[in-house]
Amino acid sequence: MSSEDRSSEMSEDEERPPSSDPAAGVGGVKPPRSPSTVHGGDLPCSYISPNPDQVLENVLENVLCFLTSRRDRNAASLVCRSWYRAEALTRSDLFIGNCYAVSPGRVINRFKRVNSVAIKGKPRFADFSLLPADWGANFTPWVNSMAGAYRGLDKVYRGLEKVYLKRMSVADEDLAVLAHSFPNFKELVLVCCDGFGTNGLAIVASECRKIRVLDLIESELVEDEVDWISCFPQNGTCLESLIFDCVDSPINFEALERLVVKSPSLKKLRLNRQVTIVQLYRLIVRAPQLTHLGTGSFGPGEIVAQGEQEPDYVSAFAACKSLVCLSGFREINAHYLPAIVPVCANLTSLNLSYATISTEQLKSFIYHCHKLQTLWVLDSVCDEGLQAVAATCKDLHELRVFPIDPREDVEGPVSEVGLLAISEGCRKLQSILYFCQRMTNAAVVAMSKNCPDLVVFRLCIMGRHRPDHLTGEPMDEGFGAIVKNCKKLTRLAVSGLLTDKAFSYIGQYGKLVRTLSVAFAGDGDMSLKYLVEGCPNLQKLEIRDSPFGDLGLLAGLHHYYNMRFLWMSSCRVTRAGCSRIARQLPRLVVEVISSDDDGEGRDIGDYDDIEGRDVGDLVGTLYMYRSLDGPRADAPRFVNIL
Amino acid sequence: MESIVAHENDLNLKATELRLGLPGTDESEKESASCTKNNKRSLPECAEESAKNDDLDAQHGDCEAAPAAKAQIVGWPPVRSYRKNSLQQKKAEAETGFYVKVSMDGAPYLRKIDLKVYKGYPELLKALEYMFKLTIGEYSEREGYRGSEYAPAYEDKDGDLMLVGDVPWEMFMSSCKKLRIMKGSEARGLGCGV
């Protein structure tokens, strides 16, 4: 899963904790406290010596090139003015964790020679329809600034080669500007983006002659049916990665086939569900060098002409000796599953999360997957399927189990049995996302002890407020054990019936936790207090439908400048409380979306445990984040910035 | 807050339920509960069936699967819209029937059947035999339905008349537009290889 890998490189989760300086996290933009003090002293005047400052800066620039980590660079930039300047000139990879934390103008003023830009936009809960459309996070001002449009300059970032965007709104026009402005442009990765269509892709394909990577991941494209595949240069490309499994519209297959043949460097290819297995065959026999393959539908689609033999899928896969990452299976016909067996022994990553396969079907090939490190499946494989995984995949680092039927109150096929089996079989587990209908504290505690390397623990018990289904107790002890025993834990998502006790555990033990997701949990303000007082590294806190109010909110005043954002929706914070925060922390942007028109038509009546409160004052959604450039100018009418 | 679900087996609602399916099609629902089918479509039905049987609403004879307010919480469970839509597409395909017209030579009017109800050719042929009160007999690759009174044929996506049974079931499902039961004598031409 190349792009998932890339996104984890890009996310905060991989970064070491930032310093406590409020500005450091935004790239250390704040000017240094001590003036530059380098001075060479008096020299004889027989020659004009170079300005010592200049010498130092030259040296620094050469040295600072070797600093790659953001945190190191931020620290270096704070030493003195010289270092600040030198660092600004040598930073080539920009990471903007929140597109509204800093304006494009400020960024391009400071960093002059950038060749790679990563920008993240909407908060994660936007994925779950909790943020109305048109909220913002538009790429337009960024691309225009980088192209020099606003200042009449000739292409500010002329050397720009790579753009990575997550949860941004990207227009076709933006892609056109990108294609026209940056002659060396090589890599475009769009994750969970929207606003563009095949029109924009056509422009990129035809005009970015040096493009190596075009990855579209879980993005929603506008429905226009332009044949963008044909727009790539006919005589050959230097494409290394082409990922379009989220593009819903049909593609010109003949053009794709020609493209694959003419792209000898192609290593990663992820097809959309319109590509049938017969077409897949034709592609992989022409590209056996692939390392990452998304199989498209993996089903027959149109009928094969009468009398034609079924292709030898097994041999075709067997010829792909470099294949390490397999995904797709969007409309799987299990009849074809044996074809993947030859590659199983080499696979390190397998994404079956769009394939409704049964326990038996999983077992037919999973036993070969000894090297598997990353596995995404649907819960249709059941607990027994997970037991098979636990028995074979001893190197498993990341597991995600998605629900085939994401509703509450249905009988779920996976439970604590599967979780326990995984914990016992996959001791090296680092990251887990597990959807289930029922769970026990015992299984979670077992996992905390069996898998000490856990960095990411996300458990989603789909029924709200569900207790341990065997003991009837809240899930406090389970999550408590996770934060206590998993000493490397940086990301946590909790669920089920949880009291303030769970949050006191997190506050007490979760010292490295950076990202925390809470839903339908806790008893009251104390829970939030425990978190903001106890977790010094907390950067991203997202809470929904939990009874946390102003008291809890205000307890975190000392910490909010250290955070990337705080999200609270359908909680009990009031407008007055939010206003107070805004007054006391002027560099925080406090966005409030009222309960009345939060775009989803939800009204306060849905929130069933408010009693005797002035419900009119309650805030529907609070989203607050630090920013160097104050409230944004593009806020839509339903957003109130306090 | 979560209720303990009660089992409603003793009420045997299934026996008194009015349905339009053929007798014997109950098998498909029981089988889908075991989640071992190749056909991906059975799995969402599996969850739905359980919801129907276990939900307390069944006490009130309510056949709707979704319990009252709970299913309507926005954005919960936290599955990305993109992923939910992809899965929902499969569920929708699973839930809508796949009805094709069936004509029989000499019969004045047509029938309609839901192909999704059948797991393979044997079931389909039995159903046709039952519906039209005729015998179709054994299929052989070489000779088609030689020796039977009737032979089942179908019109595919290209408009061609094909013999039922020549292609794998899934391919047939995706290409069959309508069925036609022909007299055995007329069908002989179809059965003689391509």
Side-chain angles (χ1 to χ4, degrees), chain A residues 118-151:
Chain A
I119 310 175
K120 290 185 170 184
K122 300 178 205 176
R124 197 178 74 96
F125 274 10
D127 290 352
F128 314 128
S129 312
L130 292 180
L131 200 63
D134 306 326
W135 172 82
N138 295 303
F139 184 47
T140 309
W142 289 92
V143 72
N144 287 345
S145 296
M146 295 191 296
Y150 296 147
R151 301 156 109 225

Side-chain angles (χ1 to χ4, degrees), chain A residues 106-119:
Chain A
R106 183 187 287 265
V107 170
I108 66 177
N109 261 334
R110 177 176 171 187
F111 299 105
K112 304 290 189 197
R113 299 186 205 151
V114 163
N115 72 10
S116 151
V117 172
I119 310 175

